[in-house]
Amino acid sequence: MRSLPLLFLGIFFTLAFSWTGIVLVTNRQLNDLDPVSSTLTDATETPISGVTYEDPDTGVVLPGLNQANEPLYPQMVSGSALRGQRVYEEMGCLYCHSQQVRRKGFGSDFERGWGQRQSVARDYIMQSRVMLGTMRTGPDLANVGIRYDATWQFQHLYNPKITSPYSIMPPYAFLFEEQKISETRGPSPEAIVLPGDWALEDGYELVPTQRAKDLVAYLLSLQQEYELPEMKFEQ
């Protein structure tokens, strides 16, 4: 019992150290980040390299300024893509897929074509819940919206072996409905084209549910195709 205060202090400082490292330091790093133009300028509107510049008169290091009339990145997803993020969470996609391109020399992300640059903290500031992922059982999805179009995404969700014969990802066929083609209205404009042996029997079609359409909209929104002041494509 004489060691109880020491044990309590040990637990307290362990939890405090973990909270400081994981929550406080992360908040300090991200709280000052805002969407920015691809290149920043100094007070004279001269482009600078990086995110800060030194004032030539005072020697003070100042934050760079956004270029006028240039789009700011990253941008907020909304509408169907935002609903699709919730489907992504519900389906547990983050347990097998990451959304973070590693720097050159760490893994083979660049060689696999998963991105043109390393992902950085600013890429995630517009997300209420960051989907970095917990494992890499499947490919990284940080730029899956660039790599594949909507048709590929729907086919892959319905049965991954349609697009990737050796995939171990489970099919998400429950996000689709097989229905008889209407004799009066004809085929649905949303019907998914299934190739070869995957095609349904004559007179039937495969249409995505709203959850499937939202999920695909979210996947298509995953595009880190822009440059940031702190990370360019050539880095």
Side-chain angles (χ1 to χ4, degrees), residues 67-83:
Q67 286 188 310
N69 303 319
E70 289 293 323
L72 305 183
Y73 299 103
Q75 298 180 346
M76 180 81 75
V77 299
S78 60
S80 182
L82 186 59
R83 295 195 300 270

Side-chain angles (χ1 to χ4, degrees), residues 8-228:
F8 174 79
L9 287 175
I11 295 174
F12 174 78
F13 282 111
T14 299
L15 294 176
F17 182 77
S18 301
W19 183 84
T20 300
I22 297 175
V23 179
L24 187 61
V25 173
T26 302
N27 181 266
R28 179 67 182 273
Q29 290 176 330
L30 301 181
N31 202 35
D32 294 333
L33 297 178
D34 293 310
V36 293
S37 54
S38 297
T39 300
L40 302 178
T41 70
D42 61 16
T44 64
E45 299 186 357
T46 302
I48 64 173
S49 176
V51 296
T52 60
Y53 69 97
E54 184 176 312
D55 186 289
D57 297 325
T58 63
V60 176
V61 176
L62 300 172
L65 306 172
N66 289 324
Q67 286 188 310
N69 303 319
E70 289 293 323
L72 305 183
Y73 299 103
Q75 298 180 346
M76 180 81 75
V77 299
S78 60
S80 182
L82 186 59
R83 295 195 300 270
Q85 180 175 334
R86 290 194 286 271
V87 179
Y88 187 90
E89 295 177 34
E90 294 166 359
M91 297 293 106
C93 304
L94 74 167
Y95 293 113
C96 291
H97 294 282
S98 60
Q99 292 185 23
Q100 180 184 26
V101 180
R102 294 174 292 188
R103 70 178 64 179
K104 288 184 178 178
F106 287 78
S108 55
D109 294 10
F110 285 84
E111 291 76 8
R112 295 185 180 193
W114 289 351
Q116 299 184 68
R117 63 168 176 81
Q118 173 193 340
S119 301
V120 294
R122 198 187 300 272
D123 288 312
Y124 308 98
I125 60 174
M126 305 303 287
Q127 301 178 20
S128 59
R129 183 181 179 188
V130 178
M131 299 291 167
L132 286 180
T134 58
M135 295 181 65
R136 275 193 167 182
T137 305
D140 184 85
L141 302 182
N143 288 292
V144 72
I146 300 174
R147 301 204 301 269
Y148 304 109
D149 62 14
T151 298
W152 188 97
Q153 305 282 6
F154 281 122
Q155 292 176 343
H156 192 71
L157 285 173
Y158 178 66
N159 194 317
K161 293 188 182 300
I162 296 176
T163 56
S164 308
Y166 300 103
S167 175
I168 60 172
M169 175 176 149
Y172 289 79
F174 57 87
L175 293 175
F176 299 81
E177 294 178 350
E178 296 181 12
Q179 64 183 26
K180 193 171 183 179
I181 297 176
S182 172
E183 295 181 356
T184 55
R185 297 189 302 274
S188 168
E190 296 182 338
I192 307 301
V193 176
L194 296 176
D197 294 339
W198 297 99
L200 303 184
E201 62 179 290
D202 291 342
Y204 287 83
E205 61 185 358
L206 184 73
V207 294
T209 62
Q210 186 60 51
R211 297 180 78 202
K213 290 186 287 187
D214 291 342
L215 180 54
V216 169
Y218 172 66
L219 294 173
L220 292 175
S221 76
L222 298 178
Q223 302 186 18
Q224 295 176 359
E225 87 288 10
Y226 49 85
E227 292 185 312
L228 292 172

